[in-house]
Amino acid sequence: MAELSLHHIDKIYDNNVQAVYDFNIDIRDGELIVLVGPSGCGKSTTLRMVAGLEDISNGQLLLDGRDITRVPAKDRDMAMVFQNYALYGHMTIYENMAFSLVLRKEDPNVIHKKVLAAAEILGLTSQLNKKPAQLSGGQRQRVAMGRSIVRNPKVFLFDEPLSNLDAKLRGATRREILLLHKRLNATMMYVTHDQTEALTLADRIVCMSMGHVQQIGTPLELYDSPNNTFVAGFIGLPPMNFFDVVFENGALRGKGFEVSLSDAEKAALADYNRKEIILGVRPEDIAEGGDLPVKVFSNENLGMNTLVHGRMGDGLRVSAKLRGWSDYKAGDVVSLGFTRKHFFDKETTNAIRKGDR
């Protein structure tokens, strides 16, 4: 397939509004990269610059070492799958999938073989004579993917392809995309605002906010070692709890509560004695049996887990994802403890790790 490199990419519009700042990544052959972030963070703009649908203001785009920064979209050997499918309603599924090859004036026999092969991969063989309106949303999205597969591009680009599907179809189609990636071993860039898609699909995730890359890493790296409070709060569901605390006398003191620390945690905070920091705790890193009393105001049973919302200390909200089925009622007081903690600099919001300052 292909290696793709984005070096110092900026996007500045004519009104001097900058949408993307200094975007850098080297995408390996066969890698699936997911760009994730809230609406307006610049992820789709970045994908459109790679596709050639938006001009690159500054920087360099390389495909297998060749500079394609100013190469027209039609000559970049990339295929894009859009969220709205972009299918021709008057054409059959076969004709939709074959359309780009017909425009290239490829041999009809070759086109037929490619369409049938792609249809087989995607389970669309029995649908080829139908029109798009006769298919479900998930099937139409598979047609859009099939139209890309027949082109055999160097890079596949996905722009929020599942956003128009219901929850069940999103899950099924997400698994199909993952299987497709493994089967084709294709280089892919995938844009989504859904962190579940990012965590389940990506080889590496690019987390963006306000045009800036906040962190690039494997799903586990972003979940387990977030660079800052933005990544920590965006990756993970339910989101991480944050508390303003002071590190003093080997413990963390917040508004109406105190948290003890291990020797390793004390060492990590050695440079922050008597200083205010941000304590982050994921809901799944909270367990029953600790020494923090929490007054419950909401209890959500999720089957294998229970999501408990309450208040601790001086009315601070906290969410805990407890193992098993719990029947806490509003007003109950439960003793909880933090099994894993994350620390962030109050001024920079960057993660505090041992040896950092």
Side-chain angles (χ1 to χ4, degrees):
M1 275 292 174
E3 295 180 354
L4 187 66
S5 297
L6 287 75
H7 293 164
H8 304 292
I9 298 292
D10 293 331
K11 179 58 184 180
I12 306 170
Y13 288 103
D14 292 338
N15 58 2
N16 288 324
V17 172
Q18 189 157 353
V20 177
Y21 297 81
D22 197 30
F23 192 105
N24 288 280
I25 191 171
D26 292 317
I27 302 174
R28 297 183 289 270
D29 182 21
E31 192 172 21
L32 199 166
I33 294 291
V34 176
L35 278 60
V36 69
S39 297
C41 72
K43 57 189 185 296
S44 288
T45 301
T46 302
L47 193 76
R48 290 175 64 84
M49 285 192 288
V50 172
L53 303 177
E54 294 273 5
D55 292 333
I56 294 173
S57 302
N58 298 304
Q60 191 177 41
L61 179 66
L62 304 177
L63 181 61
D64 286 335
R66 181 171 72 96
D67 189 342
I68 62 167
T69 309
R70 306 300 171 202
V71 172
K74 64 183 179 63
D75 299 322
R76 293 194 179 188
D77 201 7
M78 299 181 185
M80 193 160 182
V81 178
F82 299 91
Q83 62 182 10
N84 63 354
Y85 321 131
L87 302 177
Y88 296 105
H90 66 287
M91 292 183 180
T92 65
I93 303 309
Y94 182 100
E95 291 167 337
N96 268 280
M97 292 174 65
F99 186 65
S100 63
L101 304 183
V102 172
L103 289 181
R104 290 183 187 177
K105 299 181 179 179
E106 288 199 21
D107 183 281
N109 291 326
V110 173
I111 293 175
H112 187 66
K113 289 179 181 179
K114 288 183 176 181
V115 171
L116 290 184
E120 177 67 24
I121 290 172
L122 296 167
L124 292 170
T125 305
S126 62
Q127 313 295 329
L128 291 175
N129 291 324
K130 294 181 179 180
K131 300 288 181 65
Q134 297 174 272
L135 272 57
S136 68
Q139 289 172 320
R140 277 180 275 178
Q141 193 55 274
R142 277 187 276 157
V143 175
M145 288 190 285
R147 186 178 50 196
S148 298
I149 292 171
V150 298
R151 291 178 54 191
N152 191 30
K154 286 192 171 183
V155 179
F156 287 84
L157 307 174
F158 293 86
D159 188 11
E160 304 214 34
L162 309 185
S163 61
N164 288 337
L165 305 179
D166 62 36
K168 185 176 181 179
L169 276 177
R170 276 202 304 272
T173 309
R174 185 173 68 238
R175 289 189 290 273
E176 289 174 358
I177 291 174
L178 189 58
L179 291 172
L180 178 66
H181 175 247
K182 293 183 181 300
R183 183 164 183 173
L184 298 179
N185 193 30
T187 304
M188 295 181 174
M189 286 188 74
Y190 187 108
V191 161
T192 182
H193 64 273
D194 186 330
Q195 52 134 330
T196 300
E197 290 178 35
L199 290 170
T200 54
L201 287 173
D203 292 318
R204 283 188 295 161
I205 296 173
V206 180
C207 187
M208 298 183 68
S209 173
M210 300 179 67
H212 295 272
V213 173
Q214 300 297 314
Q215 187 170 354
I216 300 176
T218 65
L220 181 58
E221 286 170 344
L222 268 70
Y223 175 83
D224 211 39
S225 302
N227 277 353
N228 51 45
T229 55
F230 175 82
V231 177
F234 192 84
I235 299 295
L237 192 68
M240 183 180 285
N241 299 283
F242 294 110
F243 309 101
D244 290 334
V245 295
V246 174
F247 176 53
E248 190 174 17
N249 297 326
L252 297 177
R253 292 187 171 87
K255 294 181 179 179
F257 72 96
E258 182 174 316
V259 177
S260 59
L261 298 174
S262 68
D263 289 342
E265 290 167 338
K266 294 174 187 176
L269 295 175
D271 293 333
Y272 287 83
N273 191 42
R274 297 185 179 179
K275 293 182 180 179
E276 191 174 21
I277 65 169
I278 299 171
L279 167 65
V281 184
R282 294 202 179 278
E284 51 270 38
D285 290 331
I286 301 177
E288 295 170 288
D291 55 5
L292 292 171
V294 173
K295 188 174 183 179
V296 176
F297 64 79
S298 176
N299 188 79
E300 301 175 61
N301 286 304
L302 306 175
M304 292 294 293
N305 304 102
T306 302
L307 190 57
V308 176
H309 305 281
R311 296 188 185 277
M312 69 177 197
D314 295 343
L316 300 173
R317 290 188 59 148
V318 59
S319 296
K321 193 174 184 179
L322 306 179
R323 293 175 63 90
W325 187 282
S326 300
D327 288 318
Y328 293 116
K329 304 293 188 298
D332 287 350
V333 176
V334 56
S335 295
L336 300 178
F338 300 156
T339 60
R340 173 118 194 261
K341 310 173 194 74
H342 299 263
F343 309 123
F344 303 93
D345 187 284
K346 177 69 173 178
E347 293 183 6
T348 67
T349 74
N350 291 332
I352 299 171
R353 300 187 177 100
K354 190 172 182 179
D356 290 350
R357 179 65 178 94

